[in-house]
């Protein structure tokens, strides 16, 4: 046997028989009641992945010799009760995935970042980290770094520009300010998914506008009053979350983001004038959230977002809606509650006949044909 999955098995201790599975390479024991994995794991010399997330493990319950196994590449100790990084983890030099999220860890030893230089995925979110060691700059192969929900008061992100392979950076609720985010990220061409939500940022950090390959950006839960994007910014963006800010206007150049499929702008101060009239050009849009704003009307152009599946307009001041809203062919969810004065226009009698009129393909390729 080389692969064994014992998730959700109500285990309170590692089965003794496990030590006889000398060929075991992949072991999962997630969602149990384990307090220790001592003994049996040390007898498995070919172990490549150890996944024991969501148990009751403390640092003393993890054998220190397993990190010396030369083939160990995946280590998942998340959602346990660790107060510090397990001893000898710096010897797991072949590790490519390390997940220590949702614990109570306060510091990361410098030796871990200095030695685990082949890491591709590092998740330290939901701990009590106030800073990260300077040697984190050595993780030049890292593709995903998740640090959300840590204080990180003394982490300046100065090492970030050296991580040129990074594609995912999550730093929600980490006390980010305009002073502790690097002014430029020009060499980070691979960065595709950035989360700086819940940080009380007053404006969008200038460095973010220069990320040419950005696909997903979460800036919700800040204090941003204006989205100062220029034409040409974020051309490849697919998901933008600006919810829970102080926006009164969405910029007109937003409609140039032809790949945008999800736009979240609920809980702002948007009015009808603050929604771009050309919003119908966002023909890839599938989800649009505009709840909890000050909308009395929405632009007719929304009816031309022909791929729209979910539209949330609840908790506004809507009076009426564009008639074409009924003709969106893929619309599955239309949330309009808590709009006291709303009069919904009747559905057209011959909707099928009008469908061809409303759902026009405005692409250049179609016009040329």
């Amino acid at each position: 046997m080389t692969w064994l999955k014992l998730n959700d098995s109500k285990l309170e201790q590692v089965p003794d028989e496990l030590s006889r599975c000398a060929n075991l390479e992949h072991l999962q024991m997630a969602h149990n009641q384990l307090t220790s994995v001592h003994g049996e794991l040390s007898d498995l010399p070919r172990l490549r992945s150890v996944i024991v997330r969501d148990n009751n493990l403390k640092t003393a319950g993890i054998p220190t010799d397993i990190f010396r196994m030369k083939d160990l590449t995946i280590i998942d100790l998340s959602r346990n009760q660790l107060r510090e990084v397990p001893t000898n983890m710096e010897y797991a030099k072949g590790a490519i995935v390390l997940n220590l999220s949702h614990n109570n860890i306060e510091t990361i030893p410098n030796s871990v970042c200095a030695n685990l230089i082949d890491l591709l995925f590092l998740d330290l979110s939901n701990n009590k980290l106030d800073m990260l060691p300077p040697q984190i700059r050595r993780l030049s192969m890292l593709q995903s770094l998740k640090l959300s929900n840590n204080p990180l008061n003394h982490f300046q992100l100065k090492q970030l520009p050296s991580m040129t392979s990074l594609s995912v950076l999550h730093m929600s609720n980490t006390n980010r300010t305009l002073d502790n985010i690097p002014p430029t990220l020009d060499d980070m061409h691979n960065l595709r998914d950035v989360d700086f939500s819940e940080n009380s940022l007053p404006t969008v950090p200038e460095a973010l506008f220069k990320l040419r390959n950005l696909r997903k950006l979460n800036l919700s839960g800040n204090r941003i009053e204006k989205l100062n994007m220029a034409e040409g910014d974020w051309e490849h963006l697919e998901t933008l979350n600006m919810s829970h800010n102080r926006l009164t206007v969405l910029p007109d150049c937003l409609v140039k983001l032809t790949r945008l499929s999800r736009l979240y702008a609920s809980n702002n101060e948007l009015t009808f004038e603050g929604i771009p009239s050309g919003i119908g050009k966002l023909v890839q849009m599938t989800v649009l959230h505009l709840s909890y704003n000050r909308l009395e009307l929405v632009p007719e152009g929304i009816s031309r977002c022909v791929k729209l599946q979910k539209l949330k307009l609840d908790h506004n001041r809507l009076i009426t809606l564009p008639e074409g809203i009924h003709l969106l062919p893929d619309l599955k969810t239309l949330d309009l509650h808590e709009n006291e004065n709303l009069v919904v226009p009747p559905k057209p009698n011959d909707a099928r006949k009008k469908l061809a009129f409303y759902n026009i393909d405005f692409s250049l390729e179609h016009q040329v044909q």
Side-chain angles (χ1 to χ4, degrees), residues 4-200:
L4 177 61
K5 184 176 179 180
L6 293 170
N7 298 340
D8 296 291
S9 301
K10 299 181 180 178
L11 292 176
E12 295 182 3
Q13 62 184 39
V14 181
D16 295 337
E17 295 83 357
L18 204 61
S19 61
R20 296 201 290 271
C21 302
N23 292 318
L24 199 62
E25 295 179 5
H26 304 282
L27 176 62
Q28 293 189 32
M29 295 188 293
H31 315 296
N32 286 293
Q33 289 99 44
L34 296 170
T35 56
S36 172
V37 289
H38 270 291
E40 286 71 19
L41 262 61
S42 303
D43 296 328
L44 305 174
R46 299 187 181 182
L47 220 47
R48 292 178 178 271
S49 66
V50 178
I51 299 173
V52 287
R53 65 175 171 270
D54 197 10
N55 279 282
N56 299 314
L57 294 173
K58 296 182 179 178
T59 309
I62 298 170
T64 59
D65 51 354
I66 66 168
F67 301 119
R68 294 180 182 270
M69 295 177 182
K70 59 178 177 27
D71 294 328
L72 192 61
T73 54
I74 298 174
I75 305 167
D76 187 348
L77 302 172
S78 61
R79 297 184 181 275
N80 279 288
Q81 299 177 24
L82 305 180
R83 291 188 176 276
E84 56 270 321
V85 174
T87 307
N88 284 352
M89 183 165 280
E90 64 269 21
Y91 292 108
K93 295 183 179 181
I96 58 174
V97 172
L98 176 58
N99 189 347
L100 296 173
S101 64
H102 293 86
N103 281 289
N104 296 302
I105 298 171
E106 296 183 1
T107 58
I108 303 295
N110 214 15
S111 57
V112 171
C113 293
N115 291 332
L116 274 60
I117 57 175
D118 290 335
L119 276 179
L120 302 179
F121 177 98
L122 177 60
D123 191 347
L124 300 173
S125 58
N126 295 84
N127 277 289
K128 298 179 179 178
L129 298 170
D130 203 41
M131 65 178 298
L132 292 177
Q135 292 293 342
I136 196 170
R137 65 164 58 88
R138 291 190 50 127
L139 306 182
S140 58
M141 307 278 288
L142 204 61
Q143 296 177 11
S144 177
L145 177 60
K146 297 184 177 182
L147 301 170
S148 296
N149 299 310
N150 281 289
L152 290 178
N153 288 303
H154 297 99
F155 183 52
Q156 296 291 319
L157 270 184
K158 291 177 181 176
Q159 301 90 344
L160 191 62
S162 64
M163 300 180 185
T164 53
S165 299
L166 209 60
S167 64
V168 176
L169 176 63
H170 287 183
M171 296 196 71
S172 174
N173 188 28
T174 54
N175 292 304
R176 293 305 92 193
T177 68
L178 298 180
D179 295 326
N180 61 24
I181 295 174
T184 177
L185 299 171
D186 291 353
D187 294 331
M188 305 196 71
H189 304 297
N190 296 304
L191 210 48
R192 285 169 166 72
D193 179 354
V194 174
D195 184 352
F196 279 140
S197 61
E198 307 295 336
N199 277 300
S200 299

Side-chain angles (χ1 to χ4, degrees), residues 320-353:
T320 188
L321 292 172
E323 286 188 13
I325 211 93
H326 294 299
L327 300 173
L328 289 167
D330 296 330
L331 194 64
K332 296 180 176 65
T333 302
L334 175 60
D335 192 343
L336 299 170
H337 73 277
E338 299 300 326
N339 285 285
E340 293 182 5
N341 300 315
L342 175 61
V343 178
V344 180
K347 290 185 178 181
N349 292 330
D350 196 359
R352 289 185 180 179
K353 191 176 292 184

